[in-house]
């Protein structure tokens, strides 16, 4: 079961931790930030490793989709049809490249839910 509140928190943590650690630790910092965001998602959602991985993957995919949509909007506003075409091509490349981020967030989500070690409770 996907917990959308936790997914939004994970998306924001992905952006913030990825940016901060990307500046502090060049090269590996952004990946470490994404992994920590995935662990946060898994810890917050609890349950088994599969549940944490699913929520982490959805948070990573949500980040990629939002980034692509923003790129399309601002590319079109700034440069019109040429900007839309360039942003469309770039968005497709970013979405394909984000598969790695989705895998890292899913791995972090699984680790985070295993750290918590509590079964998921539903109301």
């Amino acid at each position: 079961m996907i917990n959308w509140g936790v997914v939004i928190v994970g998306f924001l943590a992905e952006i913030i931790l990825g940016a901060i650690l990307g500046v502090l630790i060049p090269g590996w910092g952004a990946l470490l930030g994404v992994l920590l965001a995935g662990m946060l998602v898994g810890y917050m959602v609890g349950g088994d490793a599969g549940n944490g991985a699913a929520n982490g993957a959805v948070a990573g995919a949500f980040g990629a989709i939002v980034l692509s949509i923003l790129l399309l909007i601002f590319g079109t506003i700034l440069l019109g049809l040429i900007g839309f075409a360039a942003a469309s091509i770039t968005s497709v490349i970013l979405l394909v490249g984000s598969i790695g981020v989705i895998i890292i967030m899913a791995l972090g989500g699984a680790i985070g839910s295993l750290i918590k070690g509590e079964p998921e409770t539903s109301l």
Side-chain angles (χ1 to χ4, degrees), residues 1-7 41-42 44-59 113 119-123:
M1 187 96 190
I2 302 299
N3 186 338
W4 289 104
V6 174
V7 167
V41 168
M44 287 177 66
V45 77
D48 60 348
N51 192 30
N55 281 281
V58 170
S113 64
E120 180 185 12
T121 59
S122 60
L123 298 174

Side-chain angles (χ1 to χ4, degrees), residues 2-16:
I2 302 299
N3 186 338
W4 289 104
V6 174
V7 167
I8 299 296
V9 169
F11 162 68
L12 294 175
E14 174 187 5
I15 300 296
I16 294 169

Side-chain angles (χ1 to χ4, degrees), residues 12-114:
L12 294 175
E14 174 187 5
I15 300 296
I16 294 169
L17 288 175
I20 291 173
L21 291 177
V23 170
L24 294 177
I25 308 169
W28 293 98
L31 290 176
L32 180 63
V34 168
L35 181 67
L36 290 174
M39 290 174 70
L40 175 68
V41 168
Y43 189 82
M44 287 177 66
V45 77
D48 60 348
N51 192 30
N55 281 281
V58 170
F62 185 70
I65 291 168
V66 168
L67 179 66
S68 294
I69 290 171
L70 288 175
L71 184 64
L72 283 170
I73 290 170
F74 287 115
T76 305
I77 289 173
L78 294 176
L79 297 174
L81 188 58
I82 293 173
F84 177 75
S88 297
I89 294 169
T90 306
S91 291
V92 169
I93 293 170
L94 282 174
L95 287 174
V96 170
S98 68
I99 293 173
V101 172
I102 293 169
I103 292 171
I104 292 172
M105 289 278 293
L107 178 66
I111 292 170
S113 64
L114 289 175

